[in-house]
Amino acid sequence: PLAVDHWGEQSQQIPSSRQQDMVLLDPLTEDSLLSNLKKRFNKNEIYTYIGNVVVSINPYQSLPIYTPEMIAEYRKCNLYELRPHM
């Protein structure tokens, strides 16, 4: 089925979850990929994995995601242990 998103664009409906790694999208289509990025962006989740590649969408605003605590947390973890981040 087709749906119209809040940008007025027509696309296929996909599950409402925001996938951290878009390799796991089912089905993986252009519409599902763009829809997932939009959902994550709307929740200030500007980083998304596609396998071992990180996609970043510029929010054009300052987000509280580079605190010393956040940096320390990511320094001691492997790639997929935490949410995508740079």
Short mmCIF file of all heavy atoms in Angstrom, two decimals, residues 23-85:
data_model
loop_
_atom_site.label_atom_id
_atom_site.label_comp_id
_atom_site.label_asym_id
_atom_site.label_seq_id
_atom_site.Cartn_x
_atom_site.Cartn_y
_atom_site.Cartn_z
N VAL A 23 20.81 -2.28 6.74
CA VAL A 23 20.96 -3.59 6.10
C VAL A 23 19.83 -4.52 6.55
O VAL A 23 19.42 -5.41 5.83
CB VAL A 23 22.34 -4.19 6.43
CG1 VAL A 23 22.44 -5.65 6.03
CG2 VAL A 23 23.44 -3.39 5.75
N LEU A 24 19.28 -4.26 7.74
CA LEU A 24 18.24 -5.11 8.31
C LEU A 24 16.82 -4.73 7.87
O LEU A 24 15.86 -5.39 8.26
CB LEU A 24 18.32 -5.07 9.84
CG LEU A 24 19.67 -5.50 10.42
CD1 LEU A 24 19.70 -5.29 11.92
CD2 LEU A 24 19.98 -6.94 10.06
N LEU A 25 16.68 -3.68 7.07
CA LEU A 25 15.34 -3.30 6.60
C LEU A 25 14.77 -4.39 5.71
O LEU A 25 15.48 -4.96 4.88
CB LEU A 25 15.39 -1.98 5.81
CG LEU A 25 15.62 -0.72 6.61
CD1 LEU A 25 15.77 0.47 5.66
CD2 LEU A 25 14.50 -0.47 7.58
N ASP A 26 13.50 -4.67 5.88
CA ASP A 26 12.83 -5.68 5.06
C ASP A 26 11.44 -5.17 4.69
O ASP A 26 10.60 -5.04 5.58
CB ASP A 26 12.73 -7.00 5.82
CG ASP A 26 12.15 -8.11 4.96
OD1 ASP A 26 12.29 -8.04 3.72
OD2 ASP A 26 11.57 -9.04 5.53
N PRO A 27 11.23 -4.82 3.45
CA PRO A 27 12.16 -4.91 2.33
C PRO A 27 13.12 -3.73 2.31
O PRO A 27 12.79 -2.65 2.80
CB PRO A 27 11.24 -4.87 1.12
CG PRO A 27 10.10 -4.00 1.55
CD PRO A 27 9.91 -4.32 3.02
N LEU A 28 14.30 -3.94 1.77
CA LEU A 28 15.26 -2.86 1.61
C LEU A 28 15.05 -2.26 0.23
O LEU A 28 15.43 -2.82 -0.79
CB LEU A 28 16.69 -3.37 1.76
CG LEU A 28 17.81 -2.34 1.53
CD1 LEU A 28 17.62 -1.12 2.42
CD2 LEU A 28 19.16 -2.97 1.74
N THR A 29 14.36 -1.14 0.20
CA THR A 29 14.08 -0.42 -1.04
C THR A 29 14.49 1.03 -0.85
O THR A 29 14.78 1.47 0.28
CB THR A 29 12.57 -0.46 -1.38
OG1 THR A 29 11.85 0.22 -0.35
CG2 THR A 29 12.06 -1.90 -1.50
N GLU A 30 14.48 1.78 -1.91
CA GLU A 30 14.78 3.21 -1.79
C GLU A 30 13.79 3.89 -0.85
O GLU A 30 14.17 4.69 0.01
CB GLU A 30 14.74 3.88 -3.16
CG GLU A 30 15.08 5.35 -3.12
CD GLU A 30 15.07 6.02 -4.48
OE1 GLU A 30 14.92 5.32 -5.50
OE2 GLU A 30 15.22 7.26 -4.52
N ASP A 31 12.50 3.55 -1.00
CA ASP A 31 11.47 4.14 -0.14
C ASP A 31 11.68 3.79 1.33
O ASP A 31 11.57 4.64 2.20
CB ASP A 31 10.07 3.69 -0.57
CG ASP A 31 9.59 4.38 -1.82
OD1 ASP A 31 10.12 5.46 -2.16
OD2 ASP A 31 8.67 3.84 -2.46
N SER A 32 11.99 2.52 1.62
CA SER A 32 12.17 2.13 3.02
C SER A 32 13.43 2.76 3.61
O SER A 32 13.42 3.17 4.77
CB SER A 32 12.21 0.60 3.16
OG SER A 32 13.34 0.04 2.54
N LEU A 33 14.48 2.88 2.81
CA LEU A 33 15.71 3.50 3.27
C LEU A 33 15.48 4.98 3.60
O LEU A 33 15.83 5.46 4.68
CB LEU A 33 16.79 3.35 2.19
CG LEU A 33 18.17 3.81 2.58
CD1 LEU A 33 19.20 2.81 2.07
CD2 LEU A 33 18.48 5.18 2.04
N LEU A 34 14.84 5.72 2.68
CA LEU A 34 14.59 7.14 2.91
C LEU A 34 13.62 7.35 4.07
O LEU A 34 13.79 8.27 4.88
CB LEU A 34 14.06 7.80 1.64
CG LEU A 34 15.06 7.90 0.49
CD1 LEU A 34 14.38 8.43 -0.77
CD2 LEU A 34 16.25 8.75 0.87
N SER A 35 12.61 6.51 4.16
CA SER A 35 11.64 6.62 5.25
C SER A 35 12.32 6.39 6.59
O SER A 35 12.07 7.11 7.56
CB SER A 35 10.51 5.61 5.05
OG SER A 35 9.61 5.67 6.11
N ASN A 36 13.21 5.41 6.66
CA ASN A 36 13.93 5.12 7.90
C ASN A 36 14.81 6.31 8.30
O ASN A 36 14.84 6.71 9.47
CB ASN A 36 14.78 3.86 7.74
CG ASN A 36 15.37 3.39 9.05
OD1 ASN A 36 14.65 3.09 9.99
ND2 ASN A 36 16.69 3.35 9.10
N LEU A 37 15.52 6.89 7.33
CA LEU A 37 16.35 8.06 7.62
C LEU A 37 15.50 9.22 8.14
O LEU A 37 15.89 9.91 9.08
CB LEU A 37 17.13 8.49 6.38
CG LEU A 37 18.29 7.59 5.96
CD1 LEU A 37 18.87 8.04 4.64
CD2 LEU A 37 19.36 7.54 7.04
N LYS A 38 14.35 9.45 7.55
CA LYS A 38 13.46 10.53 7.98
C LYS A 38 12.97 10.30 9.41
O LYS A 38 12.95 11.22 10.24
CB LYS A 38 12.25 10.66 7.05
CG LYS A 38 12.58 11.23 5.71
CD LYS A 38 11.33 11.25 4.84
CE LYS A 38 11.65 11.62 3.42
NZ LYS A 38 10.46 11.59 2.55
N LYS A 39 12.58 9.06 9.72
CA LYS A 39 12.10 8.74 11.07
C LYS A 39 13.20 8.96 12.10
O LYS A 39 12.96 9.52 13.17
CB LYS A 39 11.60 7.30 11.13
CG LYS A 39 10.29 7.09 10.42
CD LYS A 39 9.93 5.63 10.41
CE LYS A 39 8.68 5.42 9.57
NZ LYS A 39 8.34 4.01 9.47
N ARG A 40 14.39 8.52 11.79
CA ARG A 40 15.51 8.68 12.72
C ARG A 40 15.86 10.16 12.88
O ARG A 40 16.07 10.64 13.98
CB ARG A 40 16.72 7.87 12.24
CG ARG A 40 16.46 6.35 12.34
CD ARG A 40 17.66 5.53 11.93
NE ARG A 40 18.82 5.83 12.73
CZ ARG A 40 19.02 5.43 13.99
NH1 ARG A 40 18.11 4.69 14.59
NH2 ARG A 40 20.12 5.76 14.64
N PHE A 41 15.87 10.91 11.77
CA PHE A 41 16.16 12.34 11.82
C PHE A 41 15.14 13.07 12.69
O PHE A 41 15.49 13.94 13.48
CB PHE A 41 16.17 12.91 10.40
CG PHE A 41 16.44 14.39 10.34
CD1 PHE A 41 17.74 14.85 10.40
CD2 PHE A 41 15.40 15.29 10.24
CE1 PHE A 41 17.99 16.22 10.34
CE2 PHE A 41 15.64 16.65 10.19
CZ PHE A 41 16.94 17.12 10.24
N ASN A 42 13.86 12.71 12.56
CA ASN A 42 12.80 13.35 13.34
C ASN A 42 12.95 13.08 14.84
O ASN A 42 12.37 13.79 15.65
CB ASN A 42 11.42 12.90 12.86
CG ASN A 42 11.08 13.52 11.53
OD1 ASN A 42 11.60 14.56 11.15
ND2 ASN A 42 10.20 12.87 10.79
N LYS A 43 13.71 12.07 15.21
CA LYS A 43 13.98 11.75 16.62
C LYS A 43 15.40 12.18 17.02
O LYS A 43 15.94 11.70 18.01
CB LYS A 43 13.81 10.24 16.88
CG LYS A 43 12.41 9.75 16.64
CD LYS A 43 11.48 10.28 17.69
CE LYS A 43 10.10 9.68 17.51
NZ LYS A 43 9.17 10.18 18.50
N ASN A 44 16.00 13.06 16.21
CA ASN A 44 17.37 13.55 16.43
C ASN A 44 18.40 12.42 16.42
O ASN A 44 19.44 12.53 17.06
CB ASN A 44 17.48 14.37 17.73
CG ASN A 44 16.83 15.71 17.59
OD1 ASN A 44 16.80 16.29 16.51
ND2 ASN A 44 16.27 16.21 18.67
N GLU A 45 18.11 11.35 15.72
CA GLU A 45 19.06 10.25 15.52
C GLU A 45 19.68 10.48 14.14
O GLU A 45 19.22 9.96 13.13
CB GLU A 45 18.33 8.91 15.59
CG GLU A 45 17.73 8.65 16.95
CD GLU A 45 16.84 7.43 17.00
OE1 GLU A 45 16.34 6.99 15.94
OE2 GLU A 45 16.64 6.91 18.10
N ILE A 46 20.75 11.28 14.13
CA ILE A 46 21.30 11.73 12.85
C ILE A 46 22.31 10.76 12.24
O ILE A 46 22.72 10.94 11.11
CB ILE A 46 21.93 13.13 12.98
CG1 ILE A 46 23.09 13.12 13.97
CG2 ILE A 46 20.86 14.15 13.38
CD1 ILE A 46 23.93 14.39 13.96
N TYR A 47 22.71 9.73 12.99
CA TYR A 47 23.64 8.73 12.49
C TYR A 47 22.92 7.40 12.31
O TYR A 47 22.18 6.97 13.20
CB TYR A 47 24.81 8.54 13.45
CG TYR A 47 25.62 9.80 13.68
CD1 TYR A 47 25.67 10.40 14.92
CD2 TYR A 47 26.33 10.37 12.63
CE1 TYR A 47 26.40 11.55 15.14
CE2 TYR A 47 27.06 11.52 12.83
CZ TYR A 47 27.10 12.10 14.08
OH TYR A 47 27.83 13.25 14.29
N THR A 48 23.16 6.75 11.18
CA THR A 48 22.54 5.46 10.87
C THR A 48 23.56 4.58 10.17
O THR A 48 24.28 5.05 9.29
CB THR A 48 21.31 5.66 9.95
OG1 THR A 48 20.43 6.62 10.54
CG2 THR A 48 20.57 4.35 9.74
N TYR A 49 23.63 3.33 10.57
CA TYR A 49 24.52 2.38 9.89
C TYR A 49 23.89 1.84 8.62
O TYR A 49 22.68 1.67 8.53
CB TYR A 49 24.79 1.15 10.78
CG TYR A 49 25.66 1.39 11.97
CD1 TYR A 49 25.23 1.04 13.24
CD2 TYR A 49 26.94 1.93 11.84
CE1 TYR A 49 26.03 1.24 14.36
CE2 TYR A 49 27.75 2.13 12.95
CZ TYR A 49 27.28 1.78 14.20
OH TYR A 49 28.07 1.97 15.30
N ILE A 50 24.75 1.56 7.65
CA ILE A 50 24.44 0.68 6.52
C ILE A 50 25.62 -0.29 6.51
O ILE A 50 26.66 -0.01 5.93
CB ILE A 50 24.33 1.42 5.18
CG1 ILE A 50 23.26 2.50 5.23
CG2 ILE A 50 24.04 0.43 4.05
CD1 ILE A 50 23.13 3.31 3.95
N GLY A 51 25.46 -1.38 7.22
CA GLY A 51 26.59 -2.29 7.43
C GLY A 51 27.61 -1.60 8.31
O GLY A 51 27.29 -1.09 9.38
N ASN A 52 28.87 -1.52 7.84
CA ASN A 52 29.90 -0.86 8.64
C ASN A 52 30.13 0.59 8.21
O ASN A 52 31.10 1.21 8.60
CB ASN A 52 31.20 -1.65 8.62
CG ASN A 52 31.79 -1.76 7.23
OD1 ASN A 52 31.19 -1.34 6.25
ND2 ASN A 52 32.97 -2.34 7.13
N VAL A 53 29.21 1.14 7.41
CA VAL A 53 29.27 2.54 6.98
C VAL A 53 28.27 3.34 7.80
O VAL A 53 27.16 2.88 8.07
CB VAL A 53 28.92 2.65 5.47
CG1 VAL A 53 28.83 4.10 5.03
CG2 VAL A 53 29.93 1.87 4.64
N VAL A 54 28.65 4.54 8.22
CA VAL A 54 27.76 5.41 8.97
C VAL A 54 27.28 6.53 8.05
O VAL A 54 28.08 7.23 7.44
CB VAL A 54 28.44 6.01 10.21
CG1 VAL A 54 27.51 6.99 10.93
CG2 VAL A 54 28.88 4.92 11.16
N VAL A 55 25.96 6.69 7.97
CA VAL A 55 25.35 7.79 7.24
C VAL A 55 25.00 8.86 8.25
O VAL A 55 24.44 8.58 9.30
CB VAL A 55 24.06 7.32 6.51
CG1 VAL A 55 23.34 8.50 5.88
CG2 VAL A 55 24.38 6.26 5.49
N SER A 56 25.34 10.10 7.93
CA SER A 56 25.03 11.22 8.81
C SER A 56 24.18 12.23 8.07
O SER A 56 24.46 12.56 6.92
CB SER A 56 26.33 11.89 9.26
OG SER A 56 26.06 13.05 10.02
N ILE A 57 23.13 12.73 8.74
CA ILE A 57 22.28 13.77 8.17
C ILE A 57 22.47 15.01 9.03
O ILE A 57 22.24 14.99 10.24
CB ILE A 57 20.81 13.35 8.14
CG1 ILE A 57 20.65 12.11 7.28
CG2 ILE A 57 19.94 14.49 7.62
CD1 ILE A 57 19.25 11.57 7.22
N ASN A 58 22.90 16.10 8.41
CA ASN A 58 23.17 17.34 9.13
C ASN A 58 21.88 17.91 9.69
O ASN A 58 20.98 18.27 8.95
CB ASN A 58 23.84 18.34 8.20
CG ASN A 58 24.36 19.55 8.92
OD1 ASN A 58 23.93 19.86 10.03
ND2 ASN A 58 25.28 20.25 8.29
N PRO A 59 21.78 18.06 11.03
CA PRO A 59 20.55 18.59 11.62
C PRO A 59 20.48 20.11 11.59
O PRO A 59 19.45 20.69 11.92
CB PRO A 59 20.62 18.09 13.06
CG PRO A 59 22.09 18.06 13.35
CD PRO A 59 22.73 17.63 12.04
N TYR A 60 21.56 20.78 11.21
CA TYR A 60 21.61 22.25 11.19
C TYR A 60 21.23 22.85 12.53
O TYR A 60 20.59 23.89 12.60
CB TYR A 60 20.76 22.82 10.06
CG TYR A 60 21.27 22.45 8.71
CD1 TYR A 60 20.67 21.43 7.98
CD2 TYR A 60 22.38 23.08 8.16
CE1 TYR A 60 21.15 21.06 6.74
CE2 TYR A 60 22.87 22.72 6.91
CZ TYR A 60 22.25 21.71 6.21
OH TYR A 60 22.73 21.35 4.99
N GLN A 61 21.58 22.15 13.59
CA GLN A 61 21.39 22.64 14.95
C GLN A 61 22.35 21.87 15.86
O GLN A 61 22.84 20.81 15.51
CB GLN A 61 19.95 22.44 15.43
CG GLN A 61 19.54 20.98 15.53
CD GLN A 61 18.13 20.82 16.03
OE1 GLN A 61 17.65 21.64 16.79
NE2 GLN A 61 17.46 19.77 15.61
N SER A 62 22.60 22.43 17.01
CA SER A 62 23.48 21.78 17.97
C SER A 62 22.68 20.74 18.75
O SER A 62 21.60 21.03 19.25
CB SER A 62 24.05 22.83 18.93
OG SER A 62 24.92 22.22 19.84
N LEU A 63 23.21 19.53 18.81
CA LEU A 63 22.57 18.46 19.57
C LEU A 63 23.49 18.06 20.73
O LEU A 63 24.71 18.08 20.59
CB LEU A 63 22.32 17.23 18.68
CG LEU A 63 21.38 17.44 17.50
CD1 LEU A 63 21.33 16.17 16.66
CD2 LEU A 63 19.99 17.80 17.97
N PRO A 64 22.93 17.66 21.86
CA PRO A 64 23.76 17.29 23.02
C PRO A 64 24.30 15.87 22.91
O PRO A 64 24.09 15.03 23.77
CB PRO A 64 22.78 17.43 24.18
CG PRO A 64 21.45 17.08 23.58
CD PRO A 64 21.51 17.63 22.18
N ILE A 65 25.02 15.60 21.83
CA ILE A 65 25.49 14.23 21.59
C ILE A 65 27.01 14.11 21.64
O ILE A 65 27.55 13.05 21.35
CB ILE A 65 24.96 13.68 20.25
CG1 ILE A 65 25.39 14.56 19.09
CG2 ILE A 65 23.45 13.54 20.29
CD1 ILE A 65 24.99 14.03 17.71
N TYR A 66 27.70 15.18 22.00
CA TYR A 66 29.15 15.15 22.06
C TYR A 66 29.66 15.54 23.44
O TYR A 66 30.67 16.20 23.59
CB TYR A 66 29.75 16.08 21.00
CG TYR A 66 29.35 15.72 19.60
CD1 TYR A 66 28.45 16.49 18.90
CD2 TYR A 66 29.84 14.57 19.00
CE1 TYR A 66 28.07 16.15 17.61
CE2 TYR A 66 29.46 14.21 17.72
CZ TYR A 66 28.58 15.01 17.03
OH TYR A 66 28.19 14.67 15.77
N THR A 67 28.96 15.10 24.48
CA THR A 67 29.37 15.41 25.84
C THR A 67 30.58 14.55 26.23
O THR A 67 30.81 13.49 25.65
CB THR A 67 28.22 15.13 26.82
OG1 THR A 67 27.92 13.72 26.78
CG2 THR A 67 26.98 15.93 26.47
N PRO A 68 31.34 14.97 27.22
CA PRO A 68 32.47 14.14 27.68
C PRO A 68 32.01 12.74 28.11
O PRO A 68 32.71 11.75 27.86
CB PRO A 68 33.04 14.93 28.86
CG PRO A 68 32.66 16.35 28.58
CD PRO A 68 31.32 16.27 27.90
N GLU A 69 30.83 12.64 28.71
CA GLU A 69 30.31 11.33 29.14
C GLU A 69 30.02 10.44 27.93
O GLU A 69 30.32 9.24 27.94
CB GLU A 69 29.02 11.51 29.96
CG GLU A 69 29.21 12.24 31.27
CD GLU A 69 29.25 13.77 31.11
OE1 GLU A 69 28.80 14.29 30.09
OE2 GLU A 69 29.77 14.42 32.03
N MET A 70 29.43 11.02 26.89
CA MET A 70 29.12 10.26 25.67
C MET A 70 30.40 9.80 24.99
O MET A 70 30.51 8.65 24.56
CB MET A 70 28.29 11.13 24.72
CG MET A 70 27.86 10.42 23.46
SD MET A 70 26.52 9.25 23.69
CE MET A 70 25.16 10.37 23.90
N ILE A 71 31.39 10.66 24.93
CA ILE A 71 32.68 10.30 24.32
C ILE A 71 33.31 9.15 25.08
O ILE A 71 33.79 8.18 24.48
CB ILE A 71 33.61 11.53 24.26
CG1 ILE A 71 33.04 12.56 23.28
CG2 ILE A 71 35.02 11.12 23.88
CD1 ILE A 71 33.71 13.91 23.34
N ALA A 72 33.30 9.22 26.41
CA ALA A 72 33.89 8.15 27.23
C ALA A 72 33.14 6.83 27.02
O ALA A 72 33.76 5.76 26.94
CB ALA A 72 33.86 8.55 28.70
N GLU A 73 31.82 6.90 26.92
CA GLU A 73 31.03 5.69 26.72
C GLU A 73 31.37 5.01 25.40
O GLU A 73 31.52 3.80 25.33
CB GLU A 73 29.54 6.05 26.75
CG GLU A 73 28.62 4.86 26.67
CD GLU A 73 27.15 5.25 26.79
OE1 GLU A 73 26.84 6.44 26.92
OE2 GLU A 73 26.33 4.32 26.76
N TYR A 74 31.52 5.77 24.35
CA TYR A 74 31.81 5.21 23.03
C TYR A 74 33.26 4.75 22.89
O TYR A 74 33.54 3.85 22.10
CB TYR A 74 31.45 6.20 21.92
CG TYR A 74 29.99 6.12 21.55
CD1 TYR A 74 29.02 6.79 22.29
CD2 TYR A 74 29.57 5.33 20.49
CE1 TYR A 74 27.68 6.70 21.98
CE2 TYR A 74 28.23 5.23 20.16
CZ TYR A 74 27.29 5.91 20.91
OH TYR A 74 25.97 5.81 20.60
N ARG A 75 34.17 5.31 23.65
CA ARG A 75 35.58 4.91 23.57
C ARG A 75 35.78 3.47 24.02
O ARG A 75 36.67 2.78 23.53
CB ARG A 75 36.45 5.82 24.43
CG ARG A 75 36.79 7.07 23.74
CD ARG A 75 37.97 7.75 24.39
NE ARG A 75 38.29 8.94 23.62
CZ ARG A 75 38.50 10.13 24.13
NH1 ARG A 75 38.48 10.30 25.44
NH2 ARG A 75 38.77 11.15 23.37
N LYS A 76 34.97 2.98 24.93
CA LYS A 76 35.18 1.63 25.46
C LYS A 76 34.26 0.58 24.85
O LYS A 76 34.11 -0.49 25.41
CB LYS A 76 35.05 1.65 26.98
CG LYS A 76 33.77 2.23 27.50
CD LYS A 76 33.79 2.36 29.01
CE LYS A 76 32.61 3.20 29.46
NZ LYS A 76 32.54 3.38 30.87
N CYS A 77 33.65 0.87 23.71
CA CYS A 77 32.71 -0.07 23.09
C CYS A 77 33.11 -0.43 21.66
O CYS A 77 33.80 0.33 20.99
CB CYS A 77 31.32 0.53 23.07
SG CYS A 77 30.61 0.67 24.70
N ASN A 78 32.65 -1.58 21.22
CA ASN A 78 32.83 -1.99 19.83
C ASN A 78 31.78 -1.33 18.95
O ASN A 78 30.78 -0.80 19.45
CB ASN A 78 32.75 -3.51 19.71
CG ASN A 78 33.94 -4.19 20.34
OD1 ASN A 78 35.07 -3.70 20.23
ND2 ASN A 78 33.70 -5.29 21.01
N LEU A 79 31.96 -1.42 17.66
CA LEU A 79 31.15 -0.71 16.67
C LEU A 79 29.64 -0.83 16.88
O LEU A 79 28.94 0.16 16.90
CB LEU A 79 31.52 -1.19 15.27
CG LEU A 79 30.82 -0.49 14.11
CD1 LEU A 79 31.20 0.98 14.07
CD2 LEU A 79 31.19 -1.16 12.80
N TYR A 80 29.11 -2.03 17.06
CA TYR A 80 27.64 -2.20 17.11
C TYR A 80 27.07 -2.31 18.52
O TYR A 80 25.89 -2.60 18.67
CB TYR A 80 27.24 -3.43 16.29
CG TYR A 80 27.54 -3.26 14.81
CD1 TYR A 80 28.58 -3.95 14.23
CD2 TYR A 80 26.78 -2.41 14.04
CE1 TYR A 80 28.86 -3.79 12.88
CE2 TYR A 80 27.05 -2.24 12.70
CZ TYR A 80 28.08 -2.93 12.11
OH TYR A 80 28.35 -2.76 10.79
N GLU A 81 27.86 -2.07 19.55
CA GLU A 81 27.37 -2.19 20.92
C GLU A 81 26.41 -1.06 21.30
O GLU A 81 25.53 -1.24 22.11
CB GLU A 81 28.53 -2.23 21.91
CG GLU A 81 29.28 -3.54 21.87
CD GLU A 81 30.37 -3.58 22.92
OE1 GLU A 81 30.08 -3.31 24.10
OE2 GLU A 81 31.52 -3.84 22.54
N LEU A 82 26.63 0.12 20.74
CA LEU A 82 25.80 1.29 21.04
C LEU A 82 25.19 1.81 19.74
O LEU A 82 25.54 1.36 18.66
CB LEU A 82 26.64 2.39 21.70
CG LEU A 82 27.27 2.03 23.03
CD1 LEU A 82 28.23 3.13 23.48
CD2 LEU A 82 26.20 1.80 24.09
N ARG A 83 24.30 2.79 19.89
CA ARG A 83 23.68 3.38 18.71
C ARG A 83 24.74 3.99 17.80
O ARG A 83 25.81 4.39 18.26
CB ARG A 83 22.70 4.49 19.14
CG ARG A 83 21.54 3.97 19.94
CD ARG A 83 20.56 5.05 20.29
NE ARG A 83 21.14 6.39 20.24
CZ ARG A 83 20.71 7.41 20.91
NH1 ARG A 83 19.70 7.31 21.71
NH2 ARG A 83 21.28 8.58 20.80
N PRO A 84 24.45 4.13 16.50
CA PRO A 84 25.42 4.73 15.58
C PRO A 84 25.82 6.13 16.07
O PRO A 84 24.98 6.90 16.53
CB PRO A 84 24.64 4.84 14.27
CG PRO A 84 23.56 3.83 14.36
CD PRO A 84 23.21 3.74 15.80
N HIS A 85 27.11 6.43 15.95
CA HIS A 85 27.61 7.72 16.41
C HIS A 85 28.98 7.94 15.78
O HIS A 85 29.67 7.01 15.44
CB HIS A 85 27.74 7.70 17.94
CG HIS A 85 27.69 9.06 18.56
ND1 HIS A 85 28.72 9.96 18.44
CD2 HIS A 85 26.75 9.65 19.32
CE1 HIS A 85 28.42 11.06 19.10
NE2 HIS A 85 27.21 10.89 19.66
#
